[in-house]
Amino acid sequence: MAPHVNILKGDPDSLRECARLLESNELVAVPTETVYGLAGNALSIEAVRKIFSVKGRPLIDPLITHFKSADSAFSHVHAPEQAQVLASRFWPGPLTLVLEKMPDIPDLVTAGLNSVAIRVPNQPLMLALLQQLDFPLAAPSANPFGYVSPTRPEHVAQTLGPKIGAILDGGSCQHGLESTILDLREPQAPRLLRPGPICADEIETTLGCKVHTAKKNASGAAQTSPGQLTQHYSPRTQMELVAHGQLTSPPSTGEAFVLQKKPIDPSPNGLYWLSEDGDLKEVARNLFNLIQKLDGMQLARIVVEAAPPEGIGAAINDRLHRAAARS
Ligand code: TXA
Ligand code: MG
Protein backbone atom coordinates (compact mmCIF):
# COMPACT_ATOMS: atom_id res chain seq x y z
CA MET A 1 0.00 0.00 0.00
CA ALA A 2 1.24 3.51 -0.79
CA PRO A 3 2.45 5.40 2.31
CA HIS A 4 0.14 8.11 3.62
CA VAL A 5 0.63 11.47 1.92
CA ASN A 6 -1.48 14.58 2.34
CA ILE A 7 -1.93 15.90 -1.23
CA LEU A 8 -3.84 19.18 -1.32
CA LYS A 9 -5.43 20.75 -4.40
CA GLY A 10 -5.09 24.49 -4.83
CA ASP A 11 -8.50 25.62 -3.49
CA PRO A 12 -8.64 28.40 -0.87
CA ASP A 13 -9.07 25.95 2.05
CA SER A 14 -6.01 23.97 0.92
CA LEU A 15 -3.92 27.11 0.65
CA ARG A 16 -4.97 28.09 4.17
CA GLU A 17 -4.05 24.62 5.40
CA CYS A 18 -0.60 24.92 3.77
CA ALA A 19 -0.14 28.36 5.35
CA ARG A 20 -1.14 26.96 8.75
CA LEU A 21 1.36 24.09 8.44
CA LEU A 22 4.15 26.48 7.45
CA GLU A 23 3.28 28.85 10.31
CA SER A 24 3.68 25.85 12.67
CA ASN A 25 7.18 25.17 11.26
CA GLU A 26 6.01 22.12 9.27
CA LEU A 27 7.24 21.49 5.72
CA VAL A 28 5.09 21.63 2.59
CA ALA A 29 6.15 20.52 -0.91
CA VAL A 30 5.20 23.37 -3.21
CA PRO A 31 4.89 23.64 -6.98
CA THR A 32 7.07 26.17 -8.76
CA GLU A 33 7.45 26.81 -12.49
CA THR A 34 10.82 24.95 -12.38
CA VAL A 35 10.56 21.94 -10.05
CA TYR A 36 8.74 21.16 -6.78
CA GLY A 37 10.34 22.70 -3.70
CA LEU A 38 10.49 21.44 -0.11
CA ALA A 39 9.38 24.61 1.65
CA GLY A 40 9.67 25.86 5.21
CA ASN A 41 9.74 29.23 6.96
CA ALA A 42 13.10 30.72 5.92
CA LEU A 43 13.26 32.81 9.09
CA SER A 44 12.70 29.86 11.45
CA ILE A 45 15.71 27.78 12.49
CA GLU A 46 13.40 24.91 13.45
CA ALA A 47 11.77 24.77 10.00
CA VAL A 48 15.07 25.14 8.14
CA ARG A 49 16.64 22.35 10.20
CA LYS A 50 13.75 20.08 9.17
CA ILE A 51 14.41 20.83 5.49
CA PHE A 52 18.01 19.62 5.77
CA SER A 53 17.05 16.55 7.78
CA VAL A 54 14.08 15.44 5.61
CA LYS A 55 16.16 15.83 2.44
CA GLY A 56 19.27 14.25 3.96
CA ARG A 57 21.14 17.31 2.76
CA PRO A 58 24.53 18.34 4.17
CA LEU A 59 24.44 21.62 6.10
CA ILE A 60 27.17 23.04 3.83
CA ASP A 61 24.72 23.23 0.90
CA PRO A 62 22.82 26.57 1.08
CA LEU A 63 19.11 26.94 0.28
CA ILE A 64 17.25 29.26 -2.11
CA THR A 65 14.79 31.65 -0.42
CA HIS A 66 11.52 32.41 -2.24
CA PHE A 67 9.66 35.72 -1.93
CA LYS A 68 6.24 37.00 -3.00
CA SER A 69 7.70 40.09 -4.73
CA ALA A 70 10.94 41.78 -5.70
CA ASP A 71 10.35 44.47 -3.05
CA SER A 72 10.02 41.87 -0.36
CA ALA A 73 13.14 40.01 -1.64
CA PHE A 74 15.26 43.15 -1.83
CA SER A 75 14.42 44.10 1.75
CA HIS A 76 16.61 41.16 2.89
CA VAL A 77 19.72 41.79 0.71
CA HIS A 78 22.00 44.51 -0.56
CA ALA A 79 20.66 44.87 -4.10
CA PRO A 80 22.68 46.72 -6.74
CA GLU A 81 20.92 48.42 -9.66
CA GLN A 82 21.65 45.39 -11.87
CA ALA A 83 19.56 43.23 -9.54
CA GLN A 84 16.60 45.58 -9.94
CA VAL A 85 17.00 45.52 -13.72
CA LEU A 86 17.05 41.71 -13.82
CA ALA A 87 14.12 41.48 -11.41
CA SER A 88 11.93 43.75 -13.50
CA ARG A 89 12.75 41.73 -16.62
CA PHE A 90 12.66 38.15 -15.26
CA TRP A 91 10.64 38.05 -11.99
CA PRO A 92 8.43 36.36 -11.22
CA GLY A 93 10.43 33.65 -13.00
CA PRO A 94 13.19 31.04 -13.04
CA LEU A 95 16.15 33.29 -12.18
CA THR A 96 17.88 33.05 -8.79
CA LEU A 97 20.17 35.89 -7.72
CA VAL A 98 23.00 35.47 -5.22
CA LEU A 99 23.49 38.71 -3.26
CA GLU A 100 24.97 39.87 0.03
CA LYS A 101 22.45 39.13 2.76
CA MET A 102 21.04 41.15 5.65
CA PRO A 103 21.44 39.65 9.14
CA ASP A 104 17.79 38.53 9.45
CA ILE A 105 18.36 35.65 7.02
CA PRO A 106 19.57 32.81 9.29
CA ASP A 107 23.11 31.50 8.75
CA LEU A 108 21.64 28.00 8.54
CA VAL A 109 19.83 28.94 5.29
CA THR A 110 23.03 30.17 3.67
CA ALA A 111 25.40 27.52 5.09
CA GLY A 112 27.23 30.28 6.92
CA LEU A 113 27.88 32.35 3.78
CA ASN A 114 27.25 36.09 3.89
CA SER A 115 25.34 35.79 0.61
CA VAL A 116 21.83 34.46 0.01
CA ALA A 117 20.17 33.00 -3.12
CA ILE A 118 16.77 34.63 -3.77
CA ARG A 119 14.00 34.41 -6.30
CA VAL A 120 10.32 35.20 -6.93
CA PRO A 121 8.76 32.07 -8.45
CA ASN A 122 6.21 32.24 -11.24
CA GLN A 123 3.59 29.69 -10.25
CA PRO A 124 0.08 30.92 -9.34
CA LEU A 125 -0.49 28.61 -6.33
CA MET A 126 2.99 29.22 -4.94
CA LEU A 127 2.57 32.99 -5.31
CA ALA A 128 -0.88 32.85 -3.68
CA LEU A 129 0.63 30.89 -0.78
CA LEU A 130 3.54 33.33 -0.38
CA GLN A 131 1.04 36.19 -0.28
CA GLN A 132 -0.72 34.57 2.70
CA LEU A 133 2.49 34.33 4.71
CA ASP A 134 4.43 37.02 6.51
CA PHE A 135 7.75 35.25 5.95
CA PRO A 136 9.65 33.99 2.87
CA LEU A 137 10.05 30.28 2.09
CA ALA A 138 13.36 28.44 1.98
CA ALA A 139 12.98 25.64 -0.54
CA PRO A 140 15.45 23.29 -2.14
CA SER A 141 14.14 20.89 -4.75
CA ALA A 142 11.82 18.38 -3.02
CA ASN A 143 13.90 15.25 -3.66
CA PRO A 144 16.14 13.18 -1.38
CA PHE A 145 19.65 14.68 -1.57
CA GLY A 146 21.42 13.72 -4.81
CA TYR A 147 18.34 12.24 -6.53
CA VAL A 148 16.49 13.56 -9.59
CA SER A 149 14.36 16.70 -8.96
CA PRO A 150 10.56 16.28 -8.84
CA THR A 151 8.42 17.82 -11.54
CA ARG A 152 5.09 16.27 -10.50
CA PRO A 153 3.40 15.80 -7.12
CA GLU A 154 3.65 12.02 -7.35
CA HIS A 155 7.46 12.24 -7.58
CA VAL A 156 7.46 13.96 -4.18
CA ALA A 157 4.87 11.55 -2.79
CA GLN A 158 7.01 8.52 -3.71
CA THR A 159 10.21 9.81 -2.12
CA LEU A 160 9.45 12.24 0.74
CA GLY A 161 5.66 11.86 1.10
CA PRO A 162 5.23 10.51 4.64
CA LYS A 163 7.93 12.81 6.06
CA ILE A 164 6.22 16.10 5.24
CA GLY A 165 3.03 17.94 6.24
CA ALA A 166 1.51 18.17 2.76
CA ILE A 167 2.09 18.40 -0.96
CA LEU A 168 0.42 21.32 -2.71
CA ASP A 169 -0.64 19.90 -6.07
CA GLY A 170 0.12 22.30 -8.92
CA GLY A 171 0.31 19.58 -11.60
CA SER A 172 3.37 19.33 -13.86
CA CYS A 173 6.02 22.05 -13.64
CA GLN A 174 6.17 24.39 -16.62
CA HIS A 175 9.97 24.34 -17.19
CA GLY A 176 10.97 21.04 -15.56
CA LEU A 177 14.55 22.21 -14.82
CA GLU A 178 15.82 24.16 -11.81
CA SER A 179 16.25 27.93 -12.02
CA THR A 180 19.26 29.69 -13.50
CA ILE A 181 21.54 30.86 -10.65
CA LEU A 182 23.48 34.11 -11.11
CA ASP A 183 26.03 35.47 -8.64
CA LEU A 184 25.59 39.26 -8.71
CA ARG A 185 27.81 40.19 -5.78
CA GLU A 186 30.13 41.82 -8.30
CA PRO A 187 27.45 43.52 -10.39
CA GLN A 188 29.83 44.50 -13.21
CA ALA A 189 31.00 40.88 -13.55
CA PRO A 190 28.02 38.56 -12.97
CA ARG A 191 28.80 34.84 -12.76
CA LEU A 192 26.55 32.01 -13.91
CA LEU A 193 26.56 29.40 -11.12
CA ARG A 194 23.97 27.06 -12.63
CA PRO A 195 22.53 27.14 -16.18
CA GLY A 196 18.73 27.01 -16.31
CA PRO A 197 15.64 28.13 -18.22
CA ILE A 198 16.92 31.71 -18.53
CA CYS A 199 19.99 31.62 -20.77
CA ALA A 200 23.24 33.54 -20.22
CA ASP A 201 22.77 35.51 -23.45
CA GLU A 202 19.34 36.81 -22.32
CA ILE A 203 21.01 38.06 -19.12
CA GLU A 204 23.88 39.62 -21.11
CA THR A 205 21.43 41.44 -23.37
CA THR A 206 19.46 42.73 -20.38
CA LEU A 207 22.50 43.91 -18.42
CA GLY A 208 24.65 44.94 -21.39
CA CYS A 209 27.68 43.11 -20.00
CA LYS A 210 29.35 39.72 -20.22
CA VAL A 211 28.22 36.87 -17.95
CA HIS A 212 31.12 34.75 -16.74
CA THR A 213 30.66 31.01 -16.43
CA ALA A 214 31.93 28.91 -13.54
CA LYS A 215 35.42 27.44 -13.66
CA LYS A 216 35.99 23.75 -14.28
CA ASN A 217 37.33 21.63 -11.43
CA ALA A 218 40.18 19.10 -11.62
CA SER A 219 38.00 16.38 -13.18
CA GLY A 220 36.86 18.76 -15.91
CA ALA A 221 33.32 19.21 -14.60
CA ALA A 222 31.94 22.61 -13.71
CA GLN A 223 32.31 23.23 -9.96
CA THR A 224 29.80 25.98 -9.64
CA SER A 225 28.26 27.08 -6.37
CA PRO A 226 28.74 25.61 -2.93
CA GLY A 227 26.88 22.35 -2.80
CA GLN A 228 26.73 22.02 -6.57
CA LEU A 229 28.34 18.60 -6.67
CA THR A 230 29.48 16.99 -9.88
CA GLN A 231 27.32 13.96 -9.18
CA HIS A 232 23.78 15.09 -8.56
CA TYR A 233 20.31 14.58 -9.97
CA SER A 234 21.21 10.88 -10.29
CA PRO A 235 18.87 7.96 -10.88
CA ARG A 236 19.70 4.67 -9.09
CA THR A 237 19.99 2.90 -12.44
CA GLN A 238 23.31 3.22 -14.26
CA MET A 239 23.05 6.10 -16.71
CA GLU A 240 25.26 7.00 -19.67
CA LEU A 241 25.33 10.06 -21.83
CA VAL A 242 26.24 9.99 -25.54
CA ALA A 243 26.84 12.90 -27.90
CA HIS A 244 23.92 14.37 -29.82
CA GLY A 245 23.11 12.29 -32.91
CA GLN A 246 25.26 9.31 -31.81
CA LEU A 247 22.55 7.01 -30.44
CA THR A 248 21.91 5.03 -33.61
CA SER A 249 21.81 1.28 -32.82
CA PRO A 250 18.68 -0.23 -31.16
CA PRO A 251 18.85 -0.97 -27.41
CA SER A 252 19.57 -4.49 -26.07
CA THR A 253 17.19 -6.24 -23.66
CA GLY A 254 17.15 -4.50 -20.28
CA GLU A 255 18.34 -1.19 -21.73
CA ALA A 256 16.48 2.05 -22.41
CA PHE A 257 17.70 4.51 -25.02
CA VAL A 258 16.44 8.06 -24.63
CA LEU A 259 16.46 10.25 -27.72
CA GLN A 260 15.92 13.98 -27.95
CA LYS A 261 13.13 13.58 -30.49
CA LYS A 262 10.84 10.89 -31.87
CA PRO A 263 12.81 8.66 -34.28
CA ILE A 264 11.67 7.83 -37.81
CA ASP A 265 11.20 4.21 -36.70
CA PRO A 266 9.91 4.29 -33.11
CA SER A 267 9.05 0.57 -33.02
CA PRO A 268 12.12 -1.10 -31.37
CA ASN A 269 11.58 -2.02 -27.71
CA GLY A 270 13.34 0.19 -25.20
CA LEU A 271 13.30 3.37 -27.30
CA TYR A 272 12.03 6.57 -25.63
CA TRP A 273 12.11 10.20 -26.68
CA LEU A 274 11.85 13.53 -24.88
CA SER A 275 9.97 15.49 -27.53
CA GLU A 276 8.02 14.93 -30.73
CA ASP A 277 10.13 17.27 -32.85
CA GLY A 278 13.25 18.25 -30.88
CA ASP A 279 11.72 21.31 -29.17
CA LEU A 280 14.17 21.86 -26.29
CA LYS A 281 11.57 23.40 -23.97
CA GLU A 282 9.54 20.22 -24.31
CA VAL A 283 12.69 18.14 -23.72
CA ALA A 284 13.39 20.07 -20.48
CA ARG A 285 9.78 19.68 -19.32
CA ASN A 286 9.82 15.89 -19.83
CA LEU A 287 13.39 15.05 -18.81
CA PHE A 288 13.17 14.41 -15.05
CA ASN A 289 9.78 12.73 -15.36
CA LEU A 290 11.03 10.23 -17.94
CA ILE A 291 14.23 9.53 -15.99
CA GLN A 292 12.22 8.81 -12.83
CA LYS A 293 9.81 6.58 -14.74
CA LEU A 294 12.69 4.59 -16.29
CA ASP A 295 14.42 4.42 -12.91
CA GLY A 296 11.44 2.49 -11.56
CA MET A 297 11.66 -0.17 -14.32
CA GLN A 298 14.59 -2.26 -12.97
CA LEU A 299 16.67 -1.68 -16.09
CA ALA A 300 20.35 -2.55 -16.40
CA ARG A 301 21.22 0.72 -18.11
CA ILE A 302 19.72 3.98 -19.33
CA VAL A 303 21.54 5.64 -22.24
CA VAL A 304 20.61 9.24 -23.02
CA GLU A 305 21.42 11.33 -26.08
CA ALA A 306 22.77 14.80 -25.22
CA ALA A 307 20.79 17.86 -26.34
CA PRO A 308 22.16 20.24 -28.95
CA PRO A 309 24.02 22.89 -26.92
CA GLU A 310 21.99 25.96 -27.89
CA GLY A 311 19.53 27.78 -25.59
CA ILE A 312 18.18 25.69 -22.74
CA GLY A 313 20.18 22.75 -24.20
CA ALA A 314 23.14 23.92 -22.07
CA ALA A 315 21.08 23.47 -18.89
CA ILE A 316 19.70 20.10 -20.07
CA ASN A 317 23.23 18.83 -20.76
CA ASP A 318 24.49 20.17 -17.41
CA ARG A 319 21.86 18.03 -15.61
CA LEU A 320 22.54 15.01 -17.83
CA HIS A 321 26.30 15.21 -17.16
CA ARG A 322 25.67 15.27 -13.43
CA ALA A 323 23.08 12.48 -13.57
CA ALA A 324 25.49 10.26 -15.51
CA ALA A 325 28.54 11.07 -13.31
CA ARG A 326 29.61 8.32 -10.91
CA SER A 327 31.86 9.29 -8.03
O1 TXA B 1 14.34 26.12 -9.45
C1 TXA B 1 14.92 26.09 -8.37
O2 TXA B 1 15.91 26.80 -8.12
C2 TXA B 1 14.37 25.16 -7.29
C3 TXA B 1 12.99 25.65 -6.90
C4 TXA B 1 12.37 24.85 -5.78
O3 TXA B 1 13.06 27.02 -6.60
N1 TXA B 1 15.24 25.05 -6.18
C5 TXA B 1 16.44 24.42 -6.25
O4 TXA B 1 17.10 24.39 -5.02
O5 TXA B 1 16.90 23.92 -7.24
P1 TXA B 1 18.35 23.42 -4.72
O6 TXA B 1 18.59 23.53 -3.26
O7 TXA B 1 18.08 22.07 -5.22
O8 TXA B 1 19.54 24.11 -5.44
C6 TXA B 1 19.94 25.38 -5.00
C7 TXA B 1 21.41 25.60 -5.18
C8 TXA B 1 22.28 25.00 -4.09
O9 TXA B 1 22.69 23.69 -4.36
C9 TXA B 1 23.45 25.93 -4.07
O10 TXA B 1 24.43 25.41 -4.92
C10 TXA B 1 22.91 27.23 -4.65
O11 TXA B 1 21.59 27.01 -4.99
N2 TXA B 1 22.99 28.30 -3.65
C11 TXA B 1 22.12 28.58 -2.67
N3 TXA B 1 22.55 29.62 -1.93
C12 TXA B 1 23.72 30.03 -2.46
C13 TXA B 1 24.65 31.05 -2.16
N4 TXA B 1 24.48 31.87 -1.14
N5 TXA B 1 25.74 31.16 -2.95
C14 TXA B 1 25.92 30.33 -3.99
N6 TXA B 1 25.07 29.34 -4.33
C15 TXA B 1 24.00 29.18 -3.58
MG1 MG C 1 18.28 20.25 -5.93
Side-chain angles (χ1 to χ4, degrees):
M1 204 178 79
H4 175 72
V5 197
N6 186 16
I7 300 186
L8 299 172
K9 297 283 174 194
D11 54 278
D13 283 348
S14 297
L15 284 175
R16 264 193 297 279
E17 170 68 359
C18 291
R20 191 196 59 75
L21 287 164
L22 291 162
E23 281 156 0
S24 323
N25 288 330
E26 297 297 326
L27 305 186
V28 175
V30 290
T32 82
E33 78 281 34
T34 57
V35 299
Y36 275 74
L38 180 61
N41 179 351
L43 306 182
S44 155
I45 303 286
E46 185 189 336
V48 175
R49 254 189 227 295
K50 278 189 193 164
I51 296 177
F52 282 98
S53 106
V54 165
K55 238 188 107 91
R57 178 171 172 128
L59 293 170
I60 53 164
D61 193 353
L63 307 178
I64 296 177
T65 302
H66 300 70
F67 295 86
K68 62 182 169 199
S69 67
D71 281 351
S72 153
F74 289 152
S75 68
H76 296 269
V77 294
H78 297 279
E81 193 197 330
Q82 287 83 344
Q84 319 268 357
V85 170
L86 289 173
S88 42
R89 168 80 176 80
F90 296 112
W91 282 355
L95 177 65
T96 295
L97 299 178
V98 171
L99 290 164
E100 194 187 325
K101 79 178 186 79
M102 303 276 198
D104 63 337
I105 301 282
D107 288 341
L108 195 58
V109 171
T110 64
L113 299 171
N114 63 5
S115 61
V116 63
I118 57 170
R119 80 180 190 98
V120 179
N122 189 15
Q123 207 287 347
L125 292 179
M126 173 66 165
L127 280 174
L129 178 60
L130 282 165
Q131 270 147 15
Q132 291 196 17
L133 300 169
D134 57 10
F135 48 81
L137 291 174
S141 50
N143 49 285
F145 179 68
Y147 193 61
V148 185
S149 293
T151 57
R152 298 180 180 213
E154 57 270 25
H155 298 155
V156 186
Q158 279 151 17
T159 53
L160 303 180
K163 298 184 183 168
I164 59 182
I167 301 172
L168 179 59
D169 182 354
S172 290
C173 298
Q174 181 197 343
H175 294 292
L177 282 188
E178 303 85 349
S179 62
T180 305
I181 305 183
L182 189 74
D183 183 350
L184 250 193
R185 284 171 303 159
E186 283 181 49
Q188 317 290 344
R191 276 202 323 135
L192 186 71
L193 300 182
R194 178 172 74 185
I198 292 173
C199 303
D201 52 3
E202 292 177 82
I203 298 170
E204 289 181 339
T205 311
T206 306
L207 290 182
C209 73
K210 174 120 190 69
V211 168
H212 301 266
T213 41
K215 295 201 174 60
K216 305 270 179 188
N217 68 11
S219 66
Q223 186 63 46
T224 49
S225 30
Q228 283 272 51
L229 306 177
T230 305
Q231 187 190 347
H232 210 89
Y233 314 104
S234 302
R236 287 175 291 269
T237 313
Q238 184 196 338
M239 193 171 132
E240 278 165 43
L241 183 61
V242 299
H244 186 67
Q246 296 302 304
L247 203 48
T248 44
S249 61
S252 310
T253 311
E255 285 183 336
F257 281 10
V258 179
L259 298 160
Q260 291 287 315
K261 67 173 180 184
K262 187 172 181 179
I264 296 164
D265 175 11
S267 61
N269 274 342
L271 268 193
Y272 299 84
W273 49 94
L274 290 159
S275 74
E276 285 297 306
D277 58 1
D279 172 29
L280 288 178
K281 290 203 162 114
E282 192 187 344
V283 169
R285 215 163 27 241
N286 292 331
L287 181 66
F288 289 155
N289 184 48
L290 181 59
I291 289 179
Q292 287 180 71
K293 182 177 133 190
L294 296 175
D295 203 22
M297 288 169 56
Q298 322 282 331
L299 295 163
R301 200 163 78 114
I302 304 169
V303 186
V304 187
E305 178 191 22
E310 65 260 16
I312 198 175
I316 294 167
N317 289 339
D318 169 77
R319 304 309 189 274
L320 287 173
H321 274 291
R322 289 174 204 279
R326 283 279 177 256
S327 50

